[in-house]
Amino acid sequence: MSVPPNHVLVEWMSDQRLGSRELAELVNKAVAELTGRPGGLDDSNIRAWRSGRVRCPKSVQLRALEHVSGKSATDLGFERRTRSPATAPAQEEPPVLRRHLVQGAVAIAASAATPTYAAPRRIGITDVERLQQRFADIIASDHRHGGQQTIEQQAAALSDEALQLQASGAASQRVRGYLYASAAAFRSSAMWAAIDGRRYNSAIAHMREAQQLAEMSGDQAIKFRIWSHAGTMYRHMKRPADAAAANDVARNLAITRRDPLFASLGHARHAAIHATAADLRATRRSFDAAQEAMQRADPDAQRPVWMRAFYDQAELDSLALSAFMSLAEYDAAEAHAHRCLAALRPHMHRSRAITTSRLALAQLRQGDLEPAVTSAMRVPQDAATSHPRVIEMLAAVGAELRKKAPTSSPTRLWTEYARTLKGTVK
């Protein structure tokens, strides 16, 4: 008797532009984060899921898949395995779904309202871990979409929830420190989403609250993240002096001496700031320092989820691309764009769209019209019509094409293509 294929999973993978091998790699990484041991899936396992030969993955693989996708097993077309109460492990928690993010904040706040005669609730490290799991979901959504106001709102709501949890019961000093650090991390993600979406007034408000929470936590990693984000924000606002001052706070934290990867990120972002001040020599010197520090960093060291999720060689090349674009060094910018695209991890959808848009501009400004249009047309349409930075850059591609060669075939091709993008890109 033939087994029907899992059309729901097939359709979701198609929407996400994921092949079987790519999905296997993502699930294996999620298994490693959940268990501390790498997953053993390959593309044949994913094909078995797609074909329906496997009606439901094993428990840890299923949790990892739900973490990667943000969907439940049933939403992915699987039939959950059932266990009797006697055999079900007591510590296993239900998967956390992104769509429950805001509703979860309300539910936890309501459950915290205990009667006056009840003993105070004891808040433990498992409560922090639940929040951190949902934070990982927000990070994943940010890498997929970027800059969206919904991401900003979800991250801010989760920060408020961490503070509500603080007030809902008794906790050790260590757990309270973790909760303040979590609230600061969530607020800094709201700040980053606002920066990415060009909503700078909102970003500044999130920054101030995040800084206060980070001070109460005493967590060096989150202090670094917030001040480093502040440097990036001021750089985008064309305020290089403020950007350098904020990034210097991050670079002078003790964590940059303990972990070369933090030092590398600090140097790389400082290089991009030097570029906005038109200092080519300082830009190159800082990128050399960033590269050297990255080579010294232990790839297996314990780091926060936000750091593990984005900073690697691809991000270093992305920052170099941005810097050399600012300096009008377009041949160097193009080289870093190609390196970045070759090294980007599959889940970095937003970064791929931004890098491809910058590549198109770098090629165009070297006079390479046809490659520029080809690159611009490779930007996924969802990013081309919804991400503010991508929309800006693609609009610049169209404007420069019309200025450089108004009647050329690449200009006509781009103009016709841009009409299909819901009128967003000109």
Side-chain angles (χ1 to χ4, degrees):
M1 180 177 173
S2 62
V3 178
N6 187 340
H7 294 294
V8 178
L9 178 65
V10 171
E11 184 177 351
W12 175 79
M13 289 177 63
S14 176
D15 289 343
Q16 300 300 313
R17 301 181 178 88
L18 285 173
S20 295
R21 182 172 300 177
E22 291 172 330
L23 182 56
E25 290 174 357
L26 290 175
V27 173
N28 284 338
K29 288 178 182 177
V31 168
E33 290 182 4
L34 288 168
T35 67
R37 298 184 299 276
L41 295 173
D42 58 24
D43 52 349
S44 65
N45 298 109
I46 306 302
R47 289 196 297 272
W49 295 356
R50 290 166 58 100
S51 69
R53 287 184 284 121
V54 172
R55 305 298 293 274
C56 189
K58 296 177 181 177
S59 175
V60 69
Q61 294 171 354
L62 184 60
R63 288 182 64 197
L65 178 61
E66 289 175 328
H67 169 66
V68 167
S69 66
K71 293 178 176 291
S72 68
T74 52
D75 286 342
L76 291 169
F78 291 113
E79 297 177 4
R80 273 196 176 278
R81 300 170 186 265
T82 57
R83 302 183 184 211
S84 67
T87 60
Q91 77 276 15
E92 189 169 359
E93 300 170 359
V96 181
L97 308 178
R98 285 187 188 87
R99 67 172 181 269
H100 292 330
L101 185 64
V102 176
Q103 298 96 316
V106 176
I108 288 184
S111 67
T114 56
T116 55
Y117 57 83
R121 178 188 173 192
R122 186 72 182 173
I123 303 164
I125 196 66
T126 55
D127 297 295
V128 179
E129 289 171 349
R130 289 189 188 98
L131 287 172
Q132 289 290 348
Q133 176 60 54
R134 290 162 64 186
F135 181 46
D137 295 342
I138 288 178
I139 294 290
S141 182
D142 182 55
H143 288 309
R144 182 168 294 116
H145 306 293
Q148 301 302 307
Q149 201 157 11
T150 53
I151 297 173
E152 177 188 346
Q153 292 165 347
Q154 288 172 350
L158 198 54
S159 179
D160 291 341
E161 183 177 338
L163 295 178
Q164 289 169 357
L165 191 57
Q166 280 272 21
S168 70
S172 68
Q173 184 176 352
R174 174 170 167 263
V175 168
R176 292 213 179 276
Y178 284 147
L179 281 171
Y180 279 123
S182 297
F186 307 152
R187 186 63 65 173
S188 70
S189 280
M191 172 189 175
W192 179 253
I195 293 169
D196 205 21
R198 296 289 196 262
R199 299 181 295 276
Y200 296 124
N201 288 338
S202 180
I204 290 170
H206 290 308
M207 175 188 71
R208 289 171 179 161
E209 187 162 351
Q211 286 168 339
Q212 292 174 351
L213 293 167
E215 286 301 319
M216 287 189 283
S217 77
D219 187 293
Q220 288 268 310
I222 192 55
K223 288 181 183 180
F224 177 94
R225 187 186 196 215
I226 293 162
W227 283 105
S228 184
H229 278 175
T232 300
M233 177 182 71
Y234 290 128
R235 173 167 63 86
H236 285 314
M237 294 171 72
K238 310 300 183 189
R239 293 164 55 178
D242 290 334
N247 200 55
D248 274 339
V249 176
R251 295 198 305 145
N252 289 327
L253 289 168
I255 196 168
T256 64
R257 296 186 288 278
R258 293 198 305 266
D259 189 340
L261 197 67
F262 281 87
S264 175
L265 178 54
H267 286 307
R269 284 183 166 162
H270 220 67
I273 294 166
H274 284 312
T276 63
D279 191 336
L280 176 59
R281 180 177 296 180
T283 299
R284 287 176 171 162
R285 185 172 61 247
S286 290
F287 273 125
D288 287 344
Q291 192 69 66
E292 187 273 334
M294 177 171 281
Q295 290 167 352
R296 286 189 290 111
D298 178 2
D300 299 320
Q302 286 290 108
R303 296 186 179 96
V305 63
W306 57 264
M307 187 66 154
R308 297 196 311 269
F310 94 101
Y311 191 60
D312 55 12
Q313 184 63 54
E315 179 63 18
L316 179 51
D317 281 306
S318 174
L319 286 164
L321 161 61
S322 175
F324 287 114
M325 289 293 291
S326 296
L327 291 163
E329 297 280 334
Y330 299 122
D331 55 343
E334 181 177 2
H336 282 289
H338 287 300
R339 285 183 61 184
C340 176
L341 289 170
L344 273 174
R345 287 173 275 178
H347 70 277
M348 304 291 279
H349 300 290
R350 177 201 61 196
S351 296
R352 188 171 298 279
I354 291 172
T355 301
T356 306
S357 301
R358 285 181 178 147
L359 171 61
L361 279 171
Q363 292 168 327
L364 182 56
R365 289 170 184 174
Q366 294 175 82
D368 299 329
L369 274 61
E370 289 187 13
V373 169
T374 299
S375 295
M377 291 175 67
R378 286 182 180 144
V379 176
Q381 291 197 8
D382 58 345
T385 57
S386 64
H387 193 287
R389 279 200 274 168
V390 173
I391 291 170
E392 276 182 20
M393 286 186 282
L394 294 184
V397 168
E400 292 186 28
L401 278 168
R402 288 188 290 274
K403 183 177 179 179
K404 287 177 182 289
T407 61
S408 69
S409 57
T411 302
R412 291 196 303 271
L413 177 61
W414 175 251
T415 301
E416 184 61 32
Y417 176 74
R419 289 196 188 104
T420 70
L421 299 179
K422 301 180 182 178
T424 306
V425 178
K426 304 299 182 186

